[in-house]
Amino acid sequence: MIMKHLLYTLLLGVFLTSCYRKIDLNEYRTTPKMVINSVVSPDTVVMASITRTWFYPDKKPYVNLPHAHVELYINNQYIETMQWKTLNNPRNPDQPDTLFLSNTIPAEGDRIKIVASTPEYGTVTAEDIIPKKVPIKNASHTIKKGNGVYQGTISDYFEIYYEVTFDEFPEKNNYYLAKITQIKTGYYGYYETEIDYIDPVFKEQDAILDESMARGGCLFTDQSINGQTYTLQIKETTAELDETEQRIISIYSLSESYFLYLLSLQKIAGSTLEGGLGNIGLAEPLRVYSNVEGGTGILGGNQHSETTITLNNPSKK
């Protein structure tokens, strides 16, 4: 208890003395780097966002690099030069997507390499392999009704327990992400739910999930289930449940690089004391993983399988 109090006092002193320090951020300005962001799978053609880094005081300047020369290689063979395109963005029509597109759909096991260059930022390279697809063998659920404290109030609620079975590959070092998605049935038929990835395999990663990351799925590896037929346990809690709601259950197979990238994002999103200590030099700072040589960003390979199930609300029967 004494040591904890001393640490708290030390941190309080550091934070308070730094509250009034004036910092000229321009002293820390660095040369911008080119950024490659691309996630590749056999579901679509290879696409890539090619941008540059920007300094915080610049207040979100234009960072796209439409003049970049972007080459696509598959299995060490040159395939084509990717072209700059502007695509419609249904979610935000006023901000269309701007990407470099290819005409090539890759296959499972392909090694994808993207080489981008500009006169001002030089040449950057990123490559990754598309992993195997993991089919979902079975997905089932049970529903329990409860009453108690839920989201800060005393109310009725439903607990939905999912069991998702799949065959894990016999090869070691496989990487996955599991996700439960609520199908929107209209403005008044959609509401927030709480997803709790309760299976032990989800707890093996040294990452703290906040609510936003949990909605985006949860990472796991084959560390303890290598080569097994395994059933994942996932729990959902919700105050509302229509008579025949549906959920999409997905399992993503991830390349190692893409897994490490997402894991680093989870750690940063969930960091509290560790992140604070890192910012003042008392712990290793948290960094976003990148496999881009000469720049930053990510080229990640993935595949996914999904199944849709209907939740039969027992209280509506």
Side-chain angles (χ1 to χ4, degrees):
M1 179 64 71
I2 295 176
M3 290 299 297
K4 184 176 181 181
H5 177 72
L6 288 175
L7 177 61
Y8 175 78
T9 303
L10 172 64
L11 292 177
L12 184 62
V14 172
F15 287 131
L16 288 178
T17 56
S18 63
C19 286
Y20 299 99
R21 181 183 177 188
K22 292 183 179 180
I23 299 175
D24 182 6
L25 292 178
N26 284 312
E27 294 181 4
Y28 301 93
R29 185 181 293 273
T30 58
T31 302
K33 294 182 178 181
M34 200 183 315
V35 182
I36 296 178
N37 281 316
S38 176
V39 179
V40 292
S41 80
D43 295 332
T44 185
V45 298
V46 176
M47 299 178 284
S49 168
I50 309 296
T51 60
R52 65 166 177 87
T53 58
W54 53 278
F55 199 51
Y56 179 76
D58 294 342
K59 297 182 180 180
K60 296 186 178 181
Y62 184 78
V63 296
N64 290 320
L65 302 176
H67 61 290
H69 181 76
V70 184
E71 295 180 341
L72 171 65
Y73 295 79
I74 297 181
N75 300 325
N76 296 320
Q77 297 292 320
Y78 170 79
I79 301 299
E80 61 179 301
T81 297
M82 300 172 65
Q83 302 299 315
W84 170 264
K85 300 287 185 180
T86 300
L87 305 178
N88 292 329
N89 183 358
R91 291 178 297 181
N92 192 345
D94 295 331
Q95 295 184 357
D97 291 326
T98 50
L99 299 167
F100 282 86
L101 267 65
S102 74
N103 297 305
T104 304
I105 297 177
E108 181 177 291
D110 279 348
R111 177 177 289 276
I112 311 300
K113 181 168 72 172
I114 294 176
V115 179
S117 60
T118 67
E120 63 269 49
Y121 303 117
T123 300
V124 300
T125 303
E127 61 182 299
D128 205 358
I129 297 175
I130 297 179
K132 293 181 179 179
K133 185 176 184 176
V134 179
I136 296 173
K137 294 186 66 175
N138 184 60
S140 60
H141 72 283
T142 57
I143 301 176
K144 297 180 180 180
K145 189 173 182 179
N147 179 270
V149 178
Y150 178 69
Q151 295 185 341
T153 61
I154 301 296
S155 64
D156 293 333
Y157 56 85
F158 297 93
E159 294 179 332
I160 309 164
Y161 293 87
Y162 299 96
E163 294 189 337
V164 186
T165 303
F166 69 102
D167 289 330
E168 208 287 312
F169 296 130
E171 300 91 346
K172 292 183 178 180
N173 300 324
N174 296 313
Y175 307 92
Y176 306 100
L177 181 142
K179 182 179 179 181
I180 305 289
T181 306
Q182 179 185 0
I183 296 179
K184 295 185 179 182
T185 57
Y187 182 81
Y188 294 103
Y190 180 70
Y191 42 83
E192 294 294 339
T193 64
E194 294 181 1
I195 305 295
D196 185 8
Y197 294 88
I198 59 177
D199 198 277
V201 299
F202 298 122
K203 311 304 179 183
E204 293 173 353
Q205 304 310 313
D206 182 22
I208 306 170
L209 290 175
D210 69 359
E211 185 180 355
S212 62
M213 294 303 293
R215 287 199 298 269
C218 193
L219 298 166
F220 66 102
T221 74
D222 64 348
Q223 178 178 333
S224 61
I225 62 174
N226 180 244
Q228 300 179 25
T229 296
Y230 192 77
T231 300
L232 294 171
Q233 310 288 326
I234 303 173
K235 175 185 174 184
E236 176 184 352
T237 306
T238 178
E240 302 288 341
L241 192 60
D242 293 337
E243 186 172 355
T244 56
E245 285 197 30
Q246 292 184 310
R247 299 289 188 271
I248 298 174
I249 300 176
S250 306
I251 294 183
Y252 291 79
S253 303
L254 309 176
S255 66
E256 181 178 12
S257 291
Y258 196 27
F259 172 84
L260 293 174
Y261 171 76
L262 294 175
L263 183 62
S264 67
L265 292 182
Q266 284 194 352
K267 287 184 176 181
I268 290 173
S271 66
T272 51
L273 178 61
E274 182 180 2
L277 292 173
N279 290 335
I280 60 173
L282 298 181
E284 186 69 22
L286 298 173
R287 301 182 185 279
V288 177
Y289 174 86
S290 173
N291 63 352
V292 178
E293 295 185 6
T296 190
I298 187 68
L299 170 58
N302 88 100
Q303 290 206 70
H304 86 283
S305 57
E306 65 180 39
T307 185
T308 301
I309 63 174
T310 299
L311 306 180
N312 295 310
N313 185 349
S315 68
K316 300 290 184 178
K317 294 181 179 179

